[in-house]
Amino acid sequence: MEVLSIGMIDAAGGAVTLAIGLVGAMALFLGLMKVAEAGGLLTIIAKTLRPLMIRLFPEVPADHPAMGAIVMNLSANALGLGNAATPFGIRAMEELDKLNPNPGTATNAMALFLAINTSSVTLLPTGVIALRAAAGSQDPAGILPTTLFATICSTTIAILVAKLCQNLWPASPGSANADQPAAEARREERVQQEYAQDVRAMAEQAEKSTYPFWVSALALATILCLVPVTILFGQSISPWIIPGLMVALLGFGVARRVAIYEVFVEGAKDGFQVALRIIPYLVAILVAVGMFRASGAMELMIEPLGQVTQLFGLPPEALPMALLRPLSGSGAYGILASIIENPAIGPDSYTGYLVSTFQGSTETTFYVLAVYFGAVQIRRIRHALVAALAADATGVAAAIIICTLLYA
């Protein structure tokens, strides 16, 4: 019990220390992303993605507001702007529900959008990079190549599984007639509601114009070509990523005539607030994990299963992260912090890179499903969960493969 008591107090103190150390890195990255956002980078990515989305979602008219919200959501996810992605995602679901012939039942487009959302290709996992920097990593951006590889694999599987399964779980035309009056009332209420002005303006701007399809295809081919490059030269490239990113984003802001200093400070303030807001969650999770570890319960539970998963490149220390990530974002974040803060593991070990990639390349699937489907009161989710979990499993497997190649 003495060891347990000491472990609880140490974990609580370590959570606050970690959060304070996170302030600087979060302020830096969110300041840079605010400059990029003010310069219109989010809109440029949205215009690039739109021709691809039109082909992926044939049920959605090209000029429908849902298409603009979908591409804005995926663009925000690609840049690691989770807070900006959620309003776009909810709006996309509401617009897709207006095209839904069976209220209360997920359409093919809804299921595919949710699956892609939970596995979206991530170009810049800013939160994980900041956490690794706060934990003393010598190469905090080293997870960029591993995250890119894992998310490309998981997104590909998400699309394939959603397309294959949509005929196995057909929407029953008469299954939701009882819900029709309530659904019509919900639609009228949603039409009267308005989202924040900046969210609506950005989505409308993306809908006005788009790039030719060959531009989108070229961008996709470029991202795919980055995978072998990062595998072969990832360790050589990674030290250049953060300096290059700062120069590129600030240069983009200058070229777009953004008030660099003022906008950066505004974004940095958000980073400061984010770092402070997570303190209670970190304390709760890290104390719970500390108690679980100090009492010996974690070893009893994880070791037998970990001996099996270790044969496939998943160490016992990383197993809780792989299991918890689809269930709880804050819980997975706390476990990630406890692992990379552990002196016996550290952020730059194989396990440290692996769990960091898990955090950056997978999503809290059940949270996303509850929020997005709950916003339009979808109760019959059809194949959405199957596709999303298949993407999560693929993300974990791809993370193990790429981390083994680069860092084992």
Side-chain angles (χ1 to χ4, degrees), residues 67-114:
M67 192 62 70
I70 288 172
V71 295
M72 294 300 289
N73 171 269
L74 298 182
S75 301
N77 276 329
L79 294 177
L81 303 175
N83 292 334
T86 301
F88 290 127
I90 294 175
R91 183 186 177 194
M93 276 294 182
E94 293 192 341
E95 295 294 341
L96 288 172
D97 196 44
K98 294 178 182 178
L99 302 172
N100 189 356
N102 304 308
T105 300
T107 63
N108 292 338
M110 286 179 174
L112 178 59
F113 170 63
L114 187 137

Side-chain angles (χ1 to χ4, degrees), residues 16-347:
V16 176
T17 302
L18 176 62
I20 293 175
L22 194 60
V23 170
M26 287 295 291
L28 171 64
F29 282 109
L30 290 189
L32 290 174
M33 294 312 302
K34 192 72 173 180
V35 172
E37 184 180 349
L41 182 59
L42 199 61
T43 302
I44 292 173
I45 295 177
K47 289 165 66 177
T48 304
L49 285 176
R50 198 162 185 263
L52 296 175
M53 294 300 104
I54 291 173
R55 287 161 175 80
L56 278 177
F57 295 90
E59 307 93 342
V60 182
D63 57 349
H64 196 276
M67 192 62 70
I70 288 172
V71 295
M72 294 300 289
N73 171 269
L74 298 182
S75 301
N77 276 329
L79 294 177
L81 303 175
N83 292 334
T86 301
F88 290 127
I90 294 175
R91 183 186 177 194
M93 276 294 182
E94 293 192 341
E95 295 294 341
L96 288 172
D97 196 44
K98 294 178 182 178
L99 302 172
N100 189 356
N102 304 308
T105 300
T107 63
N108 292 338
M110 286 179 174
L112 178 59
F113 170 63
L114 187 137
I116 295 177
N117 191 276
T118 59
S119 62
S120 180
V121 173
T122 303
L123 302 177
L124 189 62
T126 51
V128 184
I129 293 175
L131 184 61
R132 287 174 54 80
S137 172
Q138 299 299 312
D139 185 16
I143 63 163
L144 285 182
T146 59
T147 300
L148 178 62
F149 176 81
T151 52
I152 287 176
C153 293
S154 62
T155 301
T156 301
I157 293 299
I159 295 172
L160 292 177
V161 172
K163 291 292 186 181
L164 289 173
C165 291
Q166 64 186 25
N167 294 326
L168 300 178
W169 283 274
S172 184
S175 60
N177 290 338
D179 299 330
Q180 189 72 28
E184 292 295 335
R186 292 198 302 270
R187 285 198 180 97
E188 292 178 2
E189 181 181 358
R190 287 198 300 271
V191 170
Q192 297 172 359
Q193 295 176 346
E194 293 185 357
Y195 280 91
Q197 187 63 34
D198 57 340
V199 173
R200 183 177 295 278
M202 291 175 68
E204 289 175 353
Q205 184 178 1
E207 292 166 17
K208 290 180 181 178
S209 61
T210 185
Y211 296 133
F213 177 73
W214 67 266
V215 175
S216 301
L218 181 61
L220 180 61
T222 301
I223 292 175
L224 293 176
C225 289
L226 288 176
V227 174
V229 172
T230 54
I231 292 175
L232 295 174
F233 306 106
Q235 291 178 314
S236 301
I237 294 173
S238 59
W240 293 81
I241 291 176
I242 292 180
L245 188 65
M246 175 173 285
V247 172
L249 294 181
L250 293 180
F252 176 80
V254 170
R256 304 285 287 194
R257 301 184 183 278
V258 175
I260 300 294
Y261 181 77
E262 292 81 357
V263 174
F264 180 89
V265 169
E266 181 182 352
K269 288 179 182 178
D270 294 338
F272 181 79
Q273 294 298 327
V274 168
L276 292 183
R277 282 200 302 268
I278 66 173
I279 289 180
Y281 301 99
L282 280 179
V283 171
I285 293 297
L286 292 187
V287 169
V289 171
M291 292 177 64
F292 199 48
R293 180 182 292 117
S295 66
M298 179 176 289
E299 185 176 355
L300 289 175
M301 180 179 294
I302 296 299
E303 279 298 324
L305 184 58
Q307 295 302 319
V308 178
T309 60
Q310 192 167 19
L311 299 176
F312 302 96
L314 181 60
E317 300 83 3
L319 184 58
M321 181 72 185
L323 297 176
L324 187 61
R325 180 64 175 135
L327 301 174
S328 170
S330 59
Y333 197 81
I335 288 191
L336 170 63
S338 69
I339 291 174
I340 64 177
E341 283 283 304
N342 187 344
I345 300 175

